[in-house]
Structure formats: structure tokens, C-alpha cells
Amino acid sequence: MNPIFLLADRDSAANQWLRENPLVLSGVITVFGIVFLFLGISGLKSGKVTDKYGNEIEGAWAKFLSIFYLVFAALAFGAATYIALFGAW
């Protein structure tokens, strides 16, 4: 069976464990938020962003991507806080 279907199953063992331990899921999402925060701040400071192929992007597009990273960091921190306080689902 495909592992992605195991995560999609609400009653799988992994999802039951995450429901019982929401701080683990919150911690993983917080790590993603920290990475996005670092990428956003470093992109705004340097004015350069590297894409997944290693090409450097400069100018307005780099500023847009940096702000995009910062928005996703804020969303990740918000989701992590919500899951830590109220549980996963």
C-alpha cells in the first residue's frame, strides 16, 4: 500500500498517535516555519533568492519570493500554535 494513503486514513495508527501527541506535529510544523522564516529574512537582506535548480533570482521577483516565504512562516507558526493548544483534529 502507498504510504501517502496511510496518512490520508483518519483511523491509521500514525494518525491516532499524532492525535494523542499533538506537540510532535506542532514541533515539525514549527521547524518548517523556522526554515521559511530564515529563507524570507535572508532573501530580503541579500536581495537574492536561490531556486530549486540553484539559479539566483534578483530584483522584484526575489523580494516577492522572500515575502511569500515570510507569509508561509507566519502560517506555519499559526498552525503549530493552534495544534499545540487545541490538538490536531
Side-chain angles (χ1 to χ4, degrees):
M1 179 174 248
N2 194 347
I4 196 76
F5 291 124
L6 292 175
L7 292 176
D9 183 18
R10 188 171 174 88
D11 296 327
S12 71
N15 280 333
Q16 288 177 355
W17 186 81
L18 285 174
R19 258 185 263 132
E20 294 168 1
N21 303 304
L23 292 180
V24 173
L25 185 60
S26 177
V28 170
I29 294 173
T30 301
V31 169
F32 282 118
I34 291 170
V35 169
F36 282 128
L37 184 67
F38 172 76
L39 289 173
I41 291 173
S42 66
L44 284 177
K45 282 184 78 170
S46 69
K48 297 178 183 177
V49 177
T50 306
D51 66 359
K52 67 180 181 179
Y53 300 114
N55 302 322
E56 281 191 354
I57 301 170
E58 297 179 9
W61 188 244
K63 187 174 184 178
F64 172 76
L65 283 176
S66 298
I67 293 170
F68 187 75
Y69 288 146
L70 291 174
V71 168
F72 268 101
L75 289 173
F77 290 137
T81 303
Y82 179 82
I83 289 172
L85 294 177
F86 301 112
W89 46 85

